[in-house]
Amino acid sequence: MRKYNFYPGPATIPQEVLERFREEILEYGDAGASFIELSHHSREVLDCHDRVVAAIRALLGVGDDYYVLLLPGGAMGQYSGALLNLAPDATVCVAVTGHWSNIVADEAAKYSKIVKCVDTMPDCTTLPPASSWNVPDDARAVAYVDNETIQGVEFPEKPVVGNVPLIIDQSSNVFSRPLDMTGVGAMFACLQKNLGPSGMGLVVVRADLCTAPSPQVPRVWHYANQAERKSMVNTVPSFQLRMLEFMLDWTNAQGGLAKLGETNRAKAQSLYSCIDASGFYSNRIDAACRSRMNVPFNLADASLDDKFVTEAFATGILGIRGHFTVGGMRASIYNAMPAAGVDCLVEFMREFERTNG
Ligand code: PMP
């Protein structure tokens, strides 16, 4: 039986999306083969690519001045790819606000001169305002992770850093609310939270910033070449591509990003209210930057953690344990988590507190 899936990624996928794939697993239309058996040079796959790119452009409101790329290497591949294309050997600021941005800083230091314009490690409970960040005059870009999946810290809005292009990792909150692309040099995300299965990286990047990549940039991450070749410099992961199309259709069917933004806020609010109203559960993150996507929380008595996870599973709740680096619990409530799933978790939490608190 399918349960409410709170895993952080790979994560829950709407049942109707899985069913659409099931319907065509043996044959895609009258193509004579499954989509994942068709050549990436076939008309069917190229058309799917074009529809996906058009849907992403429409959701973000960007035109040809941005490349929309679908690349191998998930999101982490772009920790190198973005630097090697946009700012090789240049000064780049990284806002270190959690696990993933800390890795960005490490990785970026191999290719660029890194300045940590802000660093909240190891606590990562707050986001100092961008006006207090140390951004040197020669900074070519400012990189940050919009939602720290493990700590559960999310930027309430885009930081304002003058005219320096932003490089944003939106892996765990992409398309969970509208994104104004003004000032964005590059936005990238893995698929496995809001956009389908793992293994592909979505990159939306300003074309004019990609004209002088490092000669060392791997072929598969050469943004300008990939744009020219419809992201088919190497064989596109076609399962991911088709599932991404289904997820984009589903995203639009929910009413688009503004509507999803409202729904996501309400779901998160209901979970945080349950935590805050209890003396048994706690969340350490500053209210202003609590994540709407990943809600970490602790039980007052950590020796009850295993029992909580086991009973949650029996109640229909999957994937609730926190990341091993921080412990406790984490509820990942991406776009595809229905409000009923959050209600089920809240009800379980109240009952667990009543019987164990
Ligand atoms: N950035 C963030 C914010 C993430 O949450 C993750 C994965 N959990 C990644 C990057 C890495 O994604 P991938 O493993 O697909 O490269």
Side-chain angles (χ1 to χ4, degrees):
M1 193 195 76
R2 284 174 66 76
K3 297 183 189 292
Y4 288 120
N5 178 354
F6 291 87
Y7 273 127
T12 192
I13 292 178
Q15 184 155 329
E16 53 266 50
V17 166
L18 296 172
E19 281 168 358
R20 276 187 81 181
F21 193 75
R22 181 175 64 185
E23 273 163 30
E24 62 175 45
I25 184 77
L26 291 179
E27 187 176 8
Y28 176 69
D30 55 5
S34 180
F35 188 83
I36 54 177
E37 297 174 296
L38 297 171
S39 163
H40 57 305
H41 302 301
S42 67
R43 181 49 38 217
E44 290 88 348
V45 175
L46 291 171
D47 284 351
C48 177
H49 165 274
D50 292 350
R51 291 192 302 267
V52 163
V53 168
I56 291 166
R57 286 190 187 288
L59 282 168
L60 293 175
V62 296
D64 289 345
D65 46 339
Y66 279 85
Y67 297 143
V68 175
L69 308 172
L70 304 166
L71 304 181
M76 203 183 278
Q78 301 321 315
Y79 289 3
S80 324
L83 276 293
L84 286 163
N85 281 275
L86 271 58
D89 304 320
T91 301
V92 171
C93 289
V94 179
V96 177
T97 60
H99 174 95
W100 293 103
S101 45
N102 200 39
I103 298 183
V104 174
D106 264 10
E107 194 74 359
K110 298 176 188 166
Y111 314 107
S112 309
K113 189 171 150 270
I114 295 309
V115 174
K116 293 184 182 177
C117 54
V118 61
D119 186 353
T120 64
M121 290 294 268
D123 268 12
C124 306
T125 52
T126 185
L127 290 175
S131 54
S132 69
W133 295 2
N134 159 36
V135 179
D137 290 342
D138 65 340
R140 182 84 63 81
V142 173
Y144 70 98
V145 174
D146 206 21
N147 181 65
E148 281 285 355
T149 321
I150 293 175
Q151 277 80 13
V153 175
E154 184 179 28
F155 280 86
E157 52 210 25
K158 212 169 47 181
V160 177
V161 292
N163 288 328
V164 191
L166 297 169
I167 298 178
I168 318 176
D169 176 355
Q170 275 212 324
S171 287
S172 48
N173 65 352
V174 64
F175 296 163
S176 68
R177 61 184 178 191
L179 172 65
D180 170 8
M181 289 293 282
T182 315
V184 178
M187 181 277 276
F188 58 84
C190 55
L191 299 198
Q192 66 267 25
K193 287 97 162 46
N194 276 331
L195 295 176
S198 57
M200 186 186 257
L202 163 66
V203 181
V204 182
V205 59
R206 243 174 64 194
D208 66 312
L209 298 177
C210 301
T211 51
S214 159
Q216 262 89 45
V217 66
R219 292 174 85 86
V220 291
W221 294 328
H222 191 297
Y223 289 172
N225 285 355
Q226 281 283 23
E228 199 177 314
R229 303 271 304 277
K230 294 190 184 233
S231 300
M232 308 239 181
V233 162
N234 70 322
T235 313
V236 74
S238 42
F239 172 66
Q240 279 76 358
L241 179 67
R242 184 69 175 141
M243 288 292 283
L244 173 57
E245 177 168 29
F246 292 152
M247 283 302 296
L248 294 168
D249 286 350
W250 181 88
T251 300
N252 285 320
Q254 305 314 298
L257 303 189
K259 185 74 205 320
L260 276 167
E262 286 168 26
T263 317
N264 285 327
R265 169 135 326 274
K267 285 187 298 182
Q269 192 50 51
S270 119
L271 193 43
Y272 285 116
S273 300
C274 164
I275 294 168
D276 291 343
S278 129
F280 187 74
Y281 303 108
S282 61
N283 165 282
R284 305 180 313 126
I285 310 301
D286 270 6
C289 54
R290 280 172 158 182
S291 168
R292 299 159 312 123
M293 298 280 104
N294 310 97
V295 180
F297 60 93
N298 290 89
L299 276 57
D301 177 359
S303 71
L304 290 171
D305 282 4
D306 287 346
K307 186 172 186 225
F308 183 90
V309 172
T310 307
E311 291 185 10
F313 187 79
T315 312
I317 292 163
L318 173 66
I320 194 71
R321 199 184 283 281
H323 192 265
F324 65 92
T325 55
V326 294
M329 303 298 147
R330 169 175 49 170
S332 296
I333 49 174
Y334 300 119
N335 287 354
M337 173 58 67
V342 176
D343 293 346
C344 172
L345 175 60
V346 165
E347 206 174 300
F348 167 73
M349 286 168 68
R350 290 199 179 120
E351 181 58 19
F352 190 86
E353 177 175 3
R354 198 181 63 73
T355 47
N356 296 276

